[in-house]
Amino acid sequence: MTTTFRSRITARIGRTYLSRIQKYGIGSSTVRLLPDDLLMMMRRDGLDPVDKLARTRAKRPVHKVSLPFGMDAWVVSGYEESKAVLGSADGFSTDFAHLATNAGVAAEQSPGGLGFNDPPVHTRLRRILTPEFTMRRLRRLTPRIDAIVEERLDAMAAARGPVDLVQEFALPIPSLTICELLGVPYEDRDDFQQLAMDRFDLFAGTTAPFGAMSESLAYFRDVVKAQRAKPGDGLLGMIVREHGDSVDDEELAGLADGVLTGGFETTASTIALGSLVLLQNADVLDRIRDDDAMTAPFVEEVLRYLSAVQIAFPRFARHDIEIGGVVIPQGDMVLCSLSGANRDAGYVTDDGRFDLDRIPSAGHLAFGHGIHRCVGAELARMELRTAYPALARRFPGMRLAVPPQDLAFRKLSIVYGIESLPVHLR
Ligand code: HEM
């Protein structure tokens, strides 16, 4: 299929979806209108996906859902079926930015970055970013991640009374790591942390993150300008030095914003929810504390079990395409439930249980699969592999400071999370 033809199709799909979204709005009232079959992907019962998702997956791993604006979408909750969708760049587009532009939405509203671009733009941008995420380059961050984690543990140890692990541990680790990665100037750190938090304050209303997104892009435009003039040692400085001519300032700001969007809330939620797994399983905490060899299996099982990113980027069928024996018509939107896929009984046995000794036959889908697979997966692993054992070693006797039923989890969000995690450290 030629690029022009693809563009025409994605543009048409985009215009249809976006004109309807514009007409009906994407406020909380629209969320309420969304069918339960769609919302079930974002609902949980504590750390577990709701039973309805498991029942649906068992009967119809590829399941059609009618949207309120008269359109169809597909919920894919099976492991193999999700892998097939995510792995088919020819079959599915994620080009939302392109769609937005074609639908006449202001360019500033386009998320940019990697997730909402198709090849060849995606391929070019990803090639620019990938070298910065190789283990060799990431290794330079190891001492900084160690120091960030130790600083947080020291600050927590000095506090009196219960400590909130979300505020004091889970949020600062990825936000400061991303500062280091990008090469954000030291004096900007407080502002940057605030920006990162505002960006994900979904409880402030559905339009708040859009305001924060423009602010974030504006902030990165300034950082990019400064890095062009005087490239630093971080990711942005490296890109300016090595690919300065092949990427413009807008694209670079979009990439930086994409790294913040992709790497902050996802990792923070996983650190917080994984800490809760430790709090709920004293035997697991002991093994993580005492045996370095358990760290990597713990992190992989946490990623699978929690699947904090509950849904992959929306895909749009480029042409009629068969997935799991079902034909998805051209133009329909497809949502892959990663939390559903990672608990598919066809993929893991005893799927509802956290099992440190589990050896799955294939990789989990917590980082996605295919051309959009998480570019920051190794960085996330580095953070998680540092944070959990350090926490378990420093505070082996930590325990919840509130009854488990008082823990407030996110009710409806693509990235699952917990509002606060108050603990007694000793
Ligand atoms: C536990 C932490 C994380 C989880 C669970 C996670 C999960 C994901 C998932 C599910 C996708 C989408 C895959 C798809 O739709 O096919 C993704 C994409 C992405 N992630 Fe992550 N992520 C994490 C951490 C990070 C970090 C630390 C960074 C960067 C600092 C990052 C940057 C990105 C980017 C830029 C993309 C878009 C890639 C593309 O479209 O080519 N993520 N991530």
Side-chain angles (χ1 to χ4, degrees):
M1 197 188 297
T2 66
T3 310
T4 339
F5 183 55
R6 268 187 195 162
S7 302
R8 277 212 311 275
I9 291 178
T10 48
R12 186 171 62 71
I13 302 165
R15 269 194 296 278
T16 321
Y17 269 94
L18 283 164
S19 61
R20 285 171 194 222
I21 285 169
Q22 279 174 329
K23 186 168 166 201
Y24 292 93
I26 43 171
S28 50
S29 52
T30 313
V31 169
R32 273 200 297 276
L33 284 178
L34 292 175
D36 205 51
D37 278 2
L38 207 70
L39 297 179
M40 72 180 171
M41 289 190 287
M42 291 184 271
R43 294 213 170 101
R44 293 223 185 174
D45 183 4
L47 296 179
D48 298 318
V50 288
D51 283 346
K52 181 170 179 168
L53 184 61
R55 286 198 305 273
T56 307
R57 183 183 59 223
K59 273 198 287 192
R60 278 164 299 164
V62 179
H63 172 51
K64 185 158 108 178
V65 177
S66 299
L67 297 181
F69 2 93
M71 307 201 66
D72 291 333
W74 296 81
V75 167
V76 178
S77 53
Y79 176 85
E80 289 302 338
E81 294 82 357
S82 295
K83 217 168 163 177
V85 171
L86 301 177
S88 172
D90 284 341
F92 297 95
S93 161
T94 66
D95 192 352
F96 211 83
H98 177 74
L99 309 183
T101 316
N102 278 278
V105 173
E108 307 83 72
Q109 299 227 0
S110 150
L114 291 173
F116 294 104
N117 270 313
D118 281 341
V121 175
H122 174 266
T123 320
R124 181 173 63 81
L125 294 177
R126 182 135 177 156
R127 273 199 195 124
I128 291 171
L129 208 52
T130 315
E132 306 304 324
F133 286 90
T134 57
M135 278 316 288
R136 192 173 59 81
R137 290 250 169 117
L138 288 177
R139 231 170 264 134
R140 81 190 153 82
L141 291 176
T142 309
R144 276 306 299 148
I145 297 176
D146 289 345
I148 290 166
V149 170
E150 287 307 315
E151 277 161 25
R152 293 320 310 156
L153 295 173
D154 290 346
M156 281 156 47
R160 285 162 179 264
V163 163
D164 177 7
L165 282 185
V166 171
Q167 287 299 327
E168 303 299 328
F169 193 65
L171 288 171
I173 293 172
S175 118
L176 292 170
T177 302
I178 292 171
C179 268
E180 287 291 336
L181 173 79
L182 291 175
V184 167
Y186 205 81
E187 57 277 13
D188 282 10
R189 273 162 208 227
D190 286 348
D191 289 349
F192 181 83
Q193 281 212 60
Q194 194 53 51
L195 189 78
M197 311 282 210
D198 291 350
R199 183 68 195 267
F200 295 105
D201 188 8
L202 294 171
F203 290 88
T206 43
T207 53
F210 289 101
M213 185 170 95
S214 315
E215 212 180 301
S216 164
L217 278 169
Y219 169 77
F220 281 121
R221 275 183 210 117
D222 287 347
V223 174
V224 164
K225 218 175 276 164
Q227 294 281 334
R228 281 263 189 219
K230 193 166 172 254
D233 294 336
L235 180 148
L236 291 173
M238 296 274 205
I239 293 181
V240 166
R241 262 196 293 273
E242 290 168 19
H243 305 275
D245 296 339
S246 57
V247 60
D248 65 30
D249 285 8
E250 203 56 33
E251 286 174 328
L252 203 42
L255 282 179
D257 184 65
V259 166
L260 169 65
T261 321
F264 174 55
E265 194 195 17
T266 50
T267 315
S269 278
T270 306
I271 293 176
L273 297 173
S275 303
L276 179 57
V277 171
L278 289 176
L279 286 158
Q280 288 173 337
N281 297 276
D283 55 323
V284 174
L285 188 144
D286 289 348
R287 290 176 71 189
I288 299 307
R289 182 195 58 199
D290 296 338
D291 185 357
D292 278 345
M294 291 330 298
T295 303
F298 175 74
V299 167
E300 292 316 301
E301 176 66 351
V302 155
L303 286 162
R304 178 201 73 82
Y305 178 76
L306 298 174
S307 300
V309 177
Q310 312 200 74
I311 308 173
F313 293 120
R315 263 66 176 177
F316 298 88
R318 293 182 191 278
H319 48 81
D320 292 0
I321 180 165
E322 190 189 312
I323 298 289
V326 177
V327 176
I328 297 179
Q330 176 187 326
D332 277 10
M333 181 167 68
V334 179
L335 297 169
C336 290
S337 161
L338 301 178
S339 41
N342 278 334
R343 297 227 186 171
D344 186 337
Y347 164 54
V348 281
T349 48
D350 202 2
D351 49 283
R353 209 164 65 87
F354 183 90
D355 181 359
L356 190 49
D357 300 309
R358 188 188 293 284
I359 306 174
S361 54
H364 58 70
L365 297 181
F367 291 122
H369 175 70
I371 64 163
H372 289 282
R373 183 180 180 276
C374 180
V375 79
E378 286 315 312
L379 178 61
R381 286 189 166 117
M382 276 169 68
E383 294 176 57
L384 301 175
R385 287 175 185 176
T386 308
Y388 297 129
L391 181 68
R393 276 175 203 144
R394 185 72 79 96
F395 305 115
M398 68 175 181
R399 60 192 199 287
L400 272 178
V402 293
Q405 63 273 19
D406 288 358
L407 292 172
F409 294 95
R410 296 239 174 110
K411 287 193 175 57
L412 214 54
S413 66
I414 291 173
V415 180
Y416 192 55
I418 188 164
E419 295 306 304
S420 66
L421 192 52
V423 293
H424 294 296
L425 294 172
R426 15 187 124 70

